[in-house]
Amino acid sequence: MARTKMPIPTLRRIPRYLRLSEELLRAGIVHVSSAELAERLGFTPSQVRQDFSALKEIYGISADGQQGYGYRADSLRTNMERILRLSEEKSCIWIGVGNLALALAHNFDFKRCGVRPEAAFDILPEKVGTTLRTLSGEIPIYHVDSLERYCTERCPRMAILTCPPAAAQNVADILTHAGVTGIWNLTNVDIRVPEEAELENVHLSDSLMTLACRVRPDADCP
Amino acid sequence: MARTKMPIPTLRRIPRYLRLSEELLRAGIVHVSSAELAERLGFTPSQVRQDFSALKEIYGISADGQQGYGYRADSLRTNMERILRLSEEKSCIWIGVGNLALALAHNFDFKRCGVRPEAAFDILPEKVGTTLRTLSGEIPIYHVDSLERYCTERCPRMAILTCPPAAAQNVADILTHAGVTGIWNLTNVDIRVPEEAELENVHLSDSLMTLACRVRPDADCP
């Protein structure tokens, strides 16, 4: 399959189609129309049709839409998994072993996302030399001083940033300079990376703001 | 200001306009065109113009677009803050005081999102009766058995779910039944709430999948 040329906004909808297809299959539902998909995901039906026509064009695969039946939930799942390349493993390192890192390491199914954590880095003497427990096994914690050398020698594909916000840009510079090509930035500050690298800045505050403004303030409390 | 009637997809873009306006102001930039906004945010220019025309219609406020100059960054910031009601305080409780809760409590600026954490709930004896440190002060940790009574008596507006995934739906049912109207669900499983309540299911895996599929797999490593 060629490297993806899909527009990022379309790509962002793929995990949602995937989750919905899994939910449908668990509920024993075999077919789903684009109108139902749109309604359950909060997209417009024309958005769904556009997405699937773009996927067909880029990947030559379709969600098996059949006149009168809609799409097959199992094909939908398989094709979304293929588009997301979930079966291709990407090695991943971790920078910053604080509470957020622990919460994710202990609970988050990285394997399901095609990601294999292989080492972590921190600055605190009580952490360096110990291990970080993940769902797929323990990974070593090294001192951040050895980060650059590790990346040059071992060529990890991705990095998860859970370091203090003030260190985020500097760490990202070291990583991308040493050849890391994907950065999952959970530090809640925006960082920049060179064009050849891929970046996801996760902004939990965007989601909380979006929610809070739809809720009545305390002053309206009965 | 009337309660928001803005479509959720538009609403989700507001925090991003806000962040960009803050970034522009920090860089000393006074005006920004819709084309520049679009480029920096990865939207289409027509999306930006549509958003601002919708905001004008709903709120009667504009981003002060001026022919030839574009939008003023300071008006953009003020108006996005108003739309997000950041100055209206919403009381909030927390269910589940694990690593993720600690990471957020210690580092996340809830006040900036218009949210005031006021109590936390857990089931573990070593946590109940202690406090949770947040950026704006310590909040008490109560036993989850007292959750329903607390909600009925104190009327918190929002709840943050950082409990184990298996408990998420049950906790959400208790909360919405007791009058909590906004749920920020960080348990990584989808839950449902009654129509009168607002919900944000945060799926960190969507973001990681979207990133990982843009990165070359280990097999391509030189």
Side-chain angles (χ1 to χ4, degrees), chain A residues 14 39 43-44 81 87 110 118-119 125 132-133 159 162 187 191 196 202:
Chain A
I14 306 295
E39 160 148 21
F43 306 154
T44 63
E81 286 174 340
S87 65
F110 287 94
E118 64 173 27
L132 176 61
R133 176 166 58 84
T162 46
T187 63
I191 59 170
E196 64 274 18
V202 176

Side-chain angles (χ1 to χ4, degrees), chain B residues 163-174:
Chain B
C163 57
Q169 184 62 58
N170 186 31
V171 169
D173 291 345
I174 294 172

Side-chain angles (χ1 to χ4, degrees), chain A residues 3-4 8-9 11-12 15-16 18-19 23 40 42 83-86 88-91 99-100 102-104 106 108 110 112-116 154-155 157-158 181-184 186 188 190 192 198-200 202-222, chain B residues 3-4 8-9 11-12 15-16 18-19 23 40 42 83-86 88-91 99-100 102-104 106 108 110 112-116 154-155 157-158 181-184 186 188 190 192 198-200 202-222:
Chain A
R3 302 316 299 177
T4 177
I8 302 285
L11 182 55
R12 288 194 192 289
R16 303 187 57 194
L18 173 60
R19 262 192 289 122
E23 203 178 299
R40 294 185 63 150
I83 291 167
L84 291 168
R85 305 167 193 281
L86 296 186
E88 298 177 11
E89 213 162 69
K90 271 79 63 174
S91 51
N99 286 316
L100 181 56
L102 293 174
L104 286 173
H106 296 171
F108 194 90
F110 287 94
R112 173 67 183 140
C113 298
V115 173
R116 182 174 50 82
R154 302 289 292 270
C155 184
R157 300 326 241 153
M158 300 177 59
T181 51
I183 294 189
W184 199 35
L186 298 170
N188 221 28
D190 278 309
R192 288 168 196 276
E198 302 285 347
L199 170 70
E200 284 275 304
V202 176
H203 283 285
L204 289 174
S205 56
D206 286 11
S207 157
L208 184 60
M209 281 182 184
T210 308
L211 175 66
C213 85
R214 283 141 60 199
V215 171
R216 289 184 182 278
D218 293 355
D220 291 357
C221 207
Chain B
R3 302 317 297 179
T4 176
I8 301 285
L11 182 55
R12 287 193 194 290
R16 302 188 58 194
L18 173 60
R19 261 193 290 123
E23 204 179 299
R40 295 185 63 148
I83 290 166
L84 290 168
R85 306 169 193 278
L86 296 186
E88 298 178 9
E89 213 162 67
K90 272 78 63 173
S91 51
N99 286 316
L100 181 56
L102 293 176
L104 287 172
H106 296 172
F108 194 90
F110 286 94
R112 173 65 183 142
C113 298
V115 172
R116 183 173 49 81
R154 301 288 291 271
C155 185
R157 299 324 240 155
M158 299 177 60
T181 51
I183 293 188
W184 199 35
L186 298 170
N188 221 25
D190 277 310
R192 290 169 196 274
E198 303 285 347
L199 170 70
E200 283 275 304
V202 177
H203 283 285
L204 288 174
S205 56
D206 286 11
S207 158
L208 185 60
M209 282 183 184
T210 308
L211 175 67
C213 85
R214 283 141 60 200
V215 171
R216 288 183 183 279
D218 292 355
D220 291 356
C221 206

Side-chain angles (χ1 to χ4, degrees), chain A residues 13-24:
Chain A
R13 287 190 286 274
I14 306 295
R16 303 187 57 194
Y17 289 122
L18 173 60
R19 262 192 289 122
L20 181 54
S21 70
E22 291 170 333
E23 203 178 299
L24 293 170

